[in-house]
Amino acid sequence: MKKALIFGEYKIARFLPVLRDRGYTDFVVYSAIEFDSALEFDDEGVEVKLLSLDWTADDVVRVLEAERPDVAIANPYAHGQEQLPIVYGQAAARWDGRFVAHSAAFAEVACDKVKLHETGVERGWPVPAGAVCADADAVTDAARELGFPLVIKEAQAQAGDGRFYAASAEELEAVLAAGLAFPAIVQTFKQGVETGIELISAGGELMRWPVVSMGPLDAGLDPSLRARVAPYTLPEGAAARLEAFLTDIQENFAPYGPWQIDFAVVGDDIVVLEINPRLGGLSDLGLTGTGTDPHAVFTGTALGDPLPEVRTRAVAIELPSTEIPGVEVPAHPEGADVMRVTARKPTNRCFINTDRMQLVTTIGDLEAGRRWVKELDAAGLLRCSPESAYRQLEQGFEIFGGKAGS
């Protein structure tokens, strides 16, 4: 009997089939939230235990020693677990068994925005101009030197928290008055198209899914409320800068497992906004657009499988939507491969117990896609403007070439 231990509940149902196919029958999932596994997935052989968000590396090592799994996998969830990859990396370096986790060095750069900025400046990464601030006075001084608009980020925060936009001294005063955790980083706000890429590192190799466009950066700093589309083609200079950045991280920071980069395309260059040492909001779009599931690939690499090739099979769009009781989602375009992701399933996304949902679908025909977006908006289900969704679809078809599979 082989045993798998998984730290984190995110999309756990996609891990289990891969593990079972490889002869694993005993599963322990450490989750930060309590949930009924029978309602989430086939829970045969699955035990759910409580994970503490305050765990240290000592705590994780104690769990590993008590459980003695054949394989342990770090699968941090965006909701409340953003700082745990550092702890997992430290514990993995001490554990004599197989624990698939990023190195602590990579996790620190990815989890701490001040560390990312300082490392980026040191290594010549394309990070925004900014200043590390230890108190409110330092923030005010930095704003005076950098000029508005600005983004202020707490060094260590959870998904969706600790980021603020200020277009004037008055708005900055309001941010400070509301309370800011220090240290914090103050950076210039770069206008451009927010984009993201999802990757998996294993055995010195790097696998990547298509670049996703999240639309123009806005003051809300929330790409989950914008239509996302893949594929997206970077300008030549931006693509070269991204390649150099990825190579430096691969060669010097030892990522092992999934990670994401959120960056802005500004002219012919990129500006790195953040790194996430986990799978997250792009994984559903990656699966839908390519047919290759990041979570299944990650599980396979944790067991020693080689990284497969990934190929775009269609234009795919993710639409921020609302789940309204009694209101049906309009019929999807013919031939579409559709995924409906709701917040009612606690292992799905970082927005929990809300009416938010994401509709992720391939689109084989541009006009059919436009009609569907219009119908969603008319039903009151769409959280972004239909015009922004139209623009994203048009961009996707310009890049991919019309019909799905062409």
Side-chain angles (χ1 to χ4, degrees):
M1 182 174 72
K2 291 197 288 188
K3 180 178 183 178
L5 171 61
I6 303 173
F7 291 100
E9 67 275 11
Y10 186 56
K11 303 286 188 184
I12 195 66
R14 297 192 197 171
F15 288 68
L16 299 180
V18 179
L19 290 164
R20 286 190 169 120
D21 285 347
R22 297 289 292 275
Y24 284 79
T25 56
D26 188 8
F27 309 96
V28 178
V29 178
Y30 275 83
S31 168
I33 54 174
E34 295 185 13
F35 65 91
D36 185 347
S37 59
L39 299 178
E40 291 282 321
F41 44 76
D42 174 7
D43 68 339
E44 182 179 348
V46 180
E47 184 178 8
V48 179
K49 298 183 179 181
L50 199 60
L51 177 156
S52 171
L53 301 180
D54 298 323
W55 269 354
T56 65
D58 289 340
D59 296 317
V60 174
V61 170
R62 276 194 290 270
V63 169
L64 291 165
E65 290 176 342
E67 300 285 357
R68 302 302 306 184
D70 295 281
V71 65
I73 303 173
N75 177 45
Y77 190 52
H79 189 76
Q81 300 175 33
E82 292 283 34
Q83 304 308 316
L84 286 175
I86 298 174
V87 172
Y88 295 146
Q90 294 167 343
R94 295 165 50 187
W95 173 243
D96 59 2
R98 185 169 180 80
F99 185 11
V100 180
H102 291 301
S103 71
F106 174 75
E108 287 170 359
V109 169
C111 294
D112 189 307
K113 295 175 177 60
V114 166
K115 183 72 172 178
L116 172 59
H117 179 81
E118 292 175 336
T119 305
V121 170
E122 176 186 338
R123 302 189 70 84
W125 293 346
V127 295
V132 177
C133 301
D135 54 37
D137 288 340
V139 170
T140 302
D141 292 342
R144 189 179 302 112
E145 181 176 344
L146 294 168
F148 293 97
L150 294 169
V151 175
I152 305 94
K153 302 174 184 176
E154 296 173 353
Q156 296 187 355
Q158 301 302 329
D161 295 330
R163 294 183 301 168
F164 310 93
Y165 172 84
S168 65
E170 291 73 23
E171 290 185 8
L172 181 60
E173 287 177 8
V175 170
L176 294 173
L180 188 67
F182 292 100
I185 180 75
V186 177
Q187 294 177 321
T188 57
F189 179 74
K190 290 289 188 179
Q191 296 286 352
V193 176
E194 187 170 2
T195 52
I197 185 169
E198 191 163 75
L199 314 110
I200 292 181
S201 295
E205 300 297 321
L206 180 65
M207 178 181 178
R208 65 188 77 185
W209 274 260
V211 175
V212 174
S213 167
M214 306 179 196
L217 276 164
D218 57 37
L221 304 179
D222 188 356
S224 70
L225 293 178
R226 301 184 228 129
R228 307 179 183 186
V229 71
Y232 175 80
T233 298
L234 299 176
E236 184 176 346
R241 181 67 80 98
L242 176 62
E243 200 66 34
F245 178 52
L246 294 177
T247 299
D248 191 29
I249 289 180
Q250 275 282 103
E251 293 180 351
N252 295 289
F253 291 87
Y256 187 2
W259 47 300
Q260 295 177 340
I261 303 172
D262 186 7
F263 57 101
V265 177
V266 182
D268 194 37
D269 205 351
I270 66 170
V271 176
V272 174
L273 303 176
E274 65 180 28
I275 303 175
N276 292 313
R278 55 173 171 77
L279 290 169
L282 300 182
S283 67
D284 292 330
L285 193 59
L287 166 58
T288 303
T290 67
T292 301
D293 183 1
H295 301 271
V297 172
F298 174 33
T299 310
T301 60
L303 302 178
D305 292 350
L307 291 169
E309 294 184 3
V310 64
R311 175 180 175 273
T312 298
R313 62 178 179 175
V315 174
I317 192 166
E318 182 172 316
L319 296 168
S321 305
T322 302
E323 187 180 30
I324 302 176
V327 178
E328 295 295 324
V329 174
H332 299 286
E334 184 177 355
D337 189 356
V338 178
M339 183 184 300
R340 179 173 173 173
V341 184
T342 73
R344 307 301 178 191
K345 207 169 186 180
T347 64
N348 257 342
R349 299 184 71 87
C350 61
F351 47 83
I352 294 177
N353 295 327
T354 74
D355 63 355
R356 290 170 64 177
M357 68 176 175
Q358 303 293 104
L359 296 172
V360 193
T361 181
T362 55
I363 300 290
D365 178 82
L366 176 58
E367 290 309 312
R370 288 174 61 92
R371 286 195 298 272
W372 186 55
V373 169
K374 186 176 182 179
E375 290 170 0
L376 285 170
D377 186 53
L381 299 176
L382 199 62
R383 284 186 183 266
C384 64
S385 74
E387 290 76 21
S388 68
Y390 298 155
R391 286 194 298 272
Q392 290 286 65
L393 276 175
E394 290 162 1
Q395 177 175 258
F397 275 87
E398 286 175 7
I399 293 166
F400 194 61
K403 299 290 184 180
S406 61

